[in-house]
Amino acid sequence: MFPTLVSGAATALLLGGNLVAAIDLKIDDTSSIKSVAATLAYDMMTYYHGNQTGGIPGVLPGPPPNPPNGYYWWEAGAMWGSLIDYWHYTGDSSYNDVVEAGIQWQVGEHYDMMPSNWSQSMGNDDQGFWGLTAMTAAETNFQNPPSSQPSWLSLAQAVFNTQATRLAIETICGGGLRWQVYQYLTGYDYKNSIANGCFFNLGARLARYTNNATYADRAEETWNWISNVGLMDANYNIYDGAHIETNCTDINKIQFSYNMGVWLLGAANMYNYTNGSAIWEQRVNSLLNATFNVFFPDNIAYEVACETKLTCTTDMFSFKSYLTRWLAQTTFLAPWTRALIMPKLRASAIAAAKQCSGGTNGRTCGLSWSKGTAWDGTQGVGQQMAAMSVIFTNLLPLQAVGAPLTNATGGTSSGNPNAGSQSVANPEAIKPATQGDRVGAGILTTLMLVSATGMFGWMSI
C-alpha cells in the first residue's frame, strides 16, 4: 500500500507546491493523463475532512448554510464513485481505504443508504447516487469490505428495493418516484427525472450483473413512465420534473447533463442485458444524439442550464463528472458508441485541463471548459471532480480498462436479494440527528479510521 501511496497521491503532493502550477496535459500520453488525474484528485480531496479527528467519515463539509458553501450529503457519495472509477482507470489505489471507510460509515442503521442523520434532506436521488456508487464498486471489483459489513452489491440492492417499495404505492401521475423520500420535506410533491433515472439506471445494471429479469422489468416500467408522462420528449430531451398537483403536466423544461448521462447508461445496460435488442439500440442512439446536440457545443461538454452566466448551484458544478464518466462506461456496453463518444471526451479533457488554471496554486479548476485558460473564478469539489473524470476517461484508447463485471464474468461482491427489508417504512419513526449524535460520530472517527488517518491525514492539510 505504501509504495502505491507514494507513486500516486504523494506524487501529486510533491507536485502541489508553487513550482508546478498550471496543468500540462498531453492527451495521447498515458503517464501524463495519470499524473494530471492524480493532481486533480489530490486537490479535490483537500475539501474532505472526514478522515481527521473530529470529522464525520464519508461526508463533505455542510450542508448549506453551515458553511454557506458546503455540500449536501449526496455529493460525497458521488465523489466516492468518481474515486472508484479513478482507481479503476489509473490503477492508483491511494484513496481506496478512505473511500471504503467513507461509504461504509454512511450505509445507515439498516444498511440501505439512508442514515437517519440525513433524514431532513433525504431525496430518492440522494439515496440513488450512493446506490450507484455501490454498484460501481461491485462492477469494478473494488476492494470488498469485511464480511461483518454490507457488501457493495447488497447495498445497491437495498437502495433499489427500498425505492421499489415506495414506487409500488405511487398512483398520481401514473407512477414515478417523488423527488423527496419523506412527506415533510419540501419537494415531496415533485417527481423528477434524476430520482427516476437513478432507479432506472440501478435496475438496468442490477439486471445485467445478476441476470435477474425482475430488475429489468422494473427498469422497463420506469422508462415507459418517463416517456408517457412527458419528462422525456419525442426527441429524447430529458426535462427536470413536474408537480403532482397538476398531475405532472407543469413540466419544468430545464435540462441538466446528468439526466442524459444516467438514462443513457441505463439504456446501454438494457441493450447489453437483452443481447442487442433493436429497441434498446435505437434508444441508446437517440439519447446519445440528444446529449451531443444539447450538451456538447463545439464538442466540449457544457452545462447549458447555468454555465453561460455561472448561475450554477453547488450541485450543478459536479454534473459534468457524471455525464463524462457515464458516457465512457456506455462505450463498454454498446461498443459502436466508442467511435462517437471518444472524440467528445478527448476535446472536453483538453479544454478542462486548460480551465484548471486558477486559484492560489495556479491549477484550480473552473466549470467553463470552453473558455480555455481564462479561469472562470469558480472552484470546489464539483469542478475538480468533473475535470478529473473527463481526463482519466481518455485512458480508454491508450490502455486496457476492464469492462463492468457481472457475477458471471468475475464480479466478487456477494448479493442479498432481500437487502433493505429492515428499512423503516414510516417516516415518522425517523428521528432527525441531534448535535450530540454528530459529535458522537466525530469522536468515533479516530476509532474507525486510525490507520487511514495516519496514512491519509496529510491530504487535508
Side-chain angles (χ1 to χ4, degrees), residues 222-265:
T222 304
W223 177 277
N224 292 339
W225 176 81
I226 195 175
S227 301
N228 293 336
V229 81
L231 293 182
M232 181 189 296
D233 70 14
N235 295 317
Y236 290 78
N237 295 301
I238 300 176
Y239 305 121
D240 186 66
H243 292 90
I244 64 173
E245 293 88 349
T246 68
N247 198 33
C248 294
T249 59
D250 65 331
I251 295 174
N252 179 355
K253 292 197 172 183
I254 194 168
Q255 293 178 265
F256 296 114
S257 64
Y258 73 159
N259 277 324
M260 301 305 298
V262 78
W263 285 91
L264 173 62
L265 179 56

Side-chain angles (χ1 to χ4, degrees), residues 87-395:
W87 155 76
H88 182 61
Y89 278 78
T90 68
D92 179 10
S93 60
S94 299
Y95 302 103
N96 287 11
D97 287 349
V98 174
V99 172
E100 178 191 342
I103 298 172
Q104 288 292 330
W105 191 272
Q106 296 298 321
V107 297
E109 297 85 346
H110 303 288
Y111 299 164
D112 54 7
M113 295 297 191
M114 292 179 62
S116 59
N117 278 12
W118 302 101
S119 60
Q120 293 302 289
S121 61
M122 182 61 66
N124 280 301
D125 52 347
D126 298 51
Q127 183 196 23
F129 261 88
W130 284 84
L132 297 181
T133 287
M135 193 71 232
T136 297
E139 291 169 335
T140 58
N141 266 353
F142 185 67
Q143 61 188 46
N144 287 312
S147 58
S148 59
Q149 296 175 328
S151 69
W152 307 128
L153 181 58
S154 70
L155 287 169
Q157 290 171 311
V159 172
F160 182 88
N161 290 342
T162 55
Q163 295 194 349
T165 298
R166 291 175 215 134
L167 187 57
I169 62 173
E170 287 293 336
T171 58
I172 302 173
C173 303
L177 281 170
R178 297 170 185 254
W179 177 22
Q180 300 297 325
V181 171
Y182 301 125
Q183 60 189 2
Y184 54 78
L185 296 176
T186 301
Y188 185 72
D189 64 342
Y190 193 68
K191 297 194 174 184
N192 63 359
S193 295
I194 190 58
N196 287 280
C198 288
F199 182 75
F200 167 73
N201 182 298
L202 196 53
R205 291 163 72 179
L206 283 168
R208 178 179 176 273
Y209 192 97
T210 66
N211 198 33
N212 185 329
T214 299
Y215 297 120
D217 291 343
R218 301 310 295 270
E220 181 97 43
E221 291 167 6
T222 304
W223 177 277
N224 292 339
W225 176 81
I226 195 175
S227 301
N228 293 336
V229 81
L231 293 182
M232 181 189 296
D233 70 14
N235 295 317
Y236 290 78
N237 295 301
I238 300 176
Y239 305 121
D240 186 66
H243 292 90
I244 64 173
E245 293 88 349
T246 68
N247 198 33
C248 294
T249 59
D250 65 331
I251 295 174
N252 179 355
K253 292 197 172 183
I254 194 168
Q255 293 178 265
F256 296 114
S257 64
Y258 73 159
N259 277 324
M260 301 305 298
V262 78
W263 285 91
L264 173 62
L265 179 56
N269 273 273
M270 289 298 289
Y271 167 82
N272 194 277
Y273 168 75
T274 57
N275 296 313
S277 158
I279 184 63
W280 284 109
E281 180 179 359
Q282 177 266 314
R283 289 168 174 172
V284 168
N285 282 328
S286 297
L287 282 170
L288 196 58
N289 287 336
T291 301
F292 290 164
N293 289 339
V294 176
F295 294 101
F296 282 87
D298 299 320
N299 287 335
I300 296 172
Y302 190 84
E303 198 62 50
V304 296
C306 65
E307 190 168 329
T308 302
K309 296 183 179 180
L310 292 178
T311 54
C312 309
T313 65
T314 299
D315 291 351
M316 297 173 194
F317 284 116
S318 70
F319 288 176
K320 287 194 283 190
S321 170
Y322 324 126
L323 171 66
T324 55
R325 284 168 38 227
W326 292 338
L327 280 168
Q329 193 170 347
T330 292
T331 70
F332 290 105
L333 303 160
W336 79 90
T337 65
R338 183 164 293 195
L340 303 172
I341 288 172
M342 287 313 301
K344 312 289 186 184
L345 296 181
R346 178 186 176 92
S348 295
I350 294 170
K354 291 178 179 177
Q355 180 60 199
C356 296
S357 59
T360 56
N361 61 10
R363 61 166 192 263
T364 296
C365 300
L367 176 71
S368 307
W369 298 350
S370 59
K371 291 183 178 179
T373 57
W375 182 49
D376 65 11
T378 71
Q379 58 188 300
V381 171
Q383 293 91 322
Q384 294 299 133
M385 183 175 13
M388 176 192 72
S389 296
V390 72
I391 286 169
F392 70 60
T393 64
N394 278 271
L395 289 168

